[in-house]
Amino acid sequence: MRHIKLRNPGAASLDRRGTLYVADADNNLRQYGPEGLPLNTFAPTQPGHAAQVEAWNMTSILVFNDDRQQLVLLDRFLALITEVRLADFLDGTVRAATLAPDNRIWLLDESNLVLREFDPNNLRLVKNTPLDLIIGRTRPDFRFLRHYQNNIYLVDRVTGVYVFDNLGNYKKKLPFVGLNMVGFRGEELYYFDGGSIHFFHLYNLTERRMALPTGVNPAEVRQVLVGESMAYIFTPTGVAVYQWK
């Protein structure tokens, strides 16, 4: 086990190589190798709260600043590619954002209850999926958005995880409530809840769970990321890196 000493680590993501990206308490983005060794750091010229980081598609890394309503795209060495002010393109507040495999960006427009797809190359909105009929009369608390294997997963802490296809068409809802985020590994969705890591097979619909490593206090765990061979457990003092069987 290795411990990355990092006060109050924030949003984080893994890419396909197992490289770890973590926003620190000052909203710098830090890059680590799979075993937790530091590689690069991106320090933004203007500070903004990194609400979500998405690195899975590897051609670029997305950082979404919710307070500044800004998208920041970086290359895999954390060099700046571009910045986009969302207020220039939509009239509303975006709560979550994620990067699609084609480098388009999905946005959850909370003000208007619309799932939107944005093309950062042509700087225009290309798709809009209204959510009001899907959500109904509930008062959602959207926390997280992720594109994975031709589906888009929208985490609502109140009612569960909404699933859309890669065109933004609604498919179903998974009844996992009280979550701030979900992760994916192979053909499984996973999340941390009740002191253990829950795995849900996306196609067999089977579930399994694994206990935290010995000595980890569940009350201190902020989030968990699971890669192919390593697991990362986030606490207020940093990130514990474990070999994953």
Side-chain angles (χ1 to χ4, degrees):
M1 192 272 282
R2 178 187 298 274
H3 189 262
I4 301 171
K5 193 172 182 181
L6 199 62
R7 179 179 58 87
N8 289 324
S13 181
L14 291 170
D15 71 16
R16 293 172 196 262
R17 293 190 183 93
T19 307
L20 174 68
Y21 301 81
V22 187
D24 65 19
D26 297 317
N27 293 294
N28 302 310
L29 186 65
R30 296 178 179 267
Q31 181 190 52
Y32 299 90
E35 291 80 24
L37 296 173
L39 298 175
N40 293 297
T41 300
F42 170 73
T45 53
Q46 294 178 302
H49 176 248
Q52 193 162 343
V53 176
E54 179 52 62
W56 181 251
N57 82 359
M58 292 206 324
T59 56
S60 52
I61 294 104
L62 171 72
V63 180
F64 168 55
N65 298 133
D66 57 349
D67 54 350
R68 294 176 57 83
Q69 290 290 288
Q70 177 178 260
L71 305 173
V72 180
L73 288 168
L74 310 169
D75 70 17
R76 61 190 183 92
F77 303 105
L78 300 191
L80 179 66
I81 298 172
T82 188
E83 295 176 331
V84 178
R85 284 183 62 239
L86 291 171
D88 294 340
F89 304 98
L90 60 93
D91 179 22
T93 300
V94 171
R95 181 68 187 269
T98 192
L99 198 57
D102 60 3
N103 282 324
R104 290 185 174 180
I105 298 169
W106 288 96
L107 309 169
L108 188 278
D109 179 348
E110 189 173 51
S111 305
N112 301 296
L113 284 182
V114 179
L115 180 66
R116 304 188 187 275
E117 188 182 30
F118 179 73
D119 182 347
N121 295 317
N122 297 312
L123 295 176
R124 63 189 184 96
L125 294 165
V126 290
K127 287 193 182 76
N128 299 284
T129 302
L131 302 178
D132 46 358
L133 293 178
I134 297 167
I135 292 166
R137 296 181 178 275
T138 63
R139 292 180 60 85
D141 182 4
F142 297 118
R143 295 297 181 98
F144 188 78
L145 189 62
R146 177 77 193 275
H147 192 294
Y148 187 76
Q149 289 189 352
N150 293 321
N151 284 324
I152 300 149
Y153 297 83
L154 172 60
V155 177
D156 172 20
R157 191 171 171 83
V158 178
T159 62
V161 181
Y162 294 90
V163 185
F164 304 82
D165 68 17
N166 59 2
L167 299 176
N169 301 308
Y170 176 66
K171 294 175 70 173
K172 61 182 177 180
K173 184 172 64 177
L174 303 174
F176 307 136
V177 299
L179 304 181
N180 293 319
M181 64 165 292
V182 294
F184 297 89
R185 181 179 185 268
E187 296 186 336
E188 291 179 304
L189 173 153
Y190 66 85
Y191 58 91
F192 175 73
D193 185 52
S196 60
I197 308 169
H198 300 246
F199 292 85
F200 173 75
H201 198 286
L202 296 169
Y203 308 107
N204 298 339
L205 309 184
T206 53
E207 297 186 52
R208 63 188 179 98
R209 65 177 64 183
M210 295 193 71
L212 291 172
T214 304
V216 177
N217 179 1
E220 291 189 345
V221 176
R222 298 268 183 90
Q223 64 173 314
V224 174
L225 290 181
V226 181
E228 284 302 311
S229 60
M230 311 297 283
Y232 306 87
I233 297 175
F234 294 70
T235 69
T237 60
V239 184
V241 182
Y242 289 88
Q243 193 77 34
W244 181 262
K245 298 289 191 292

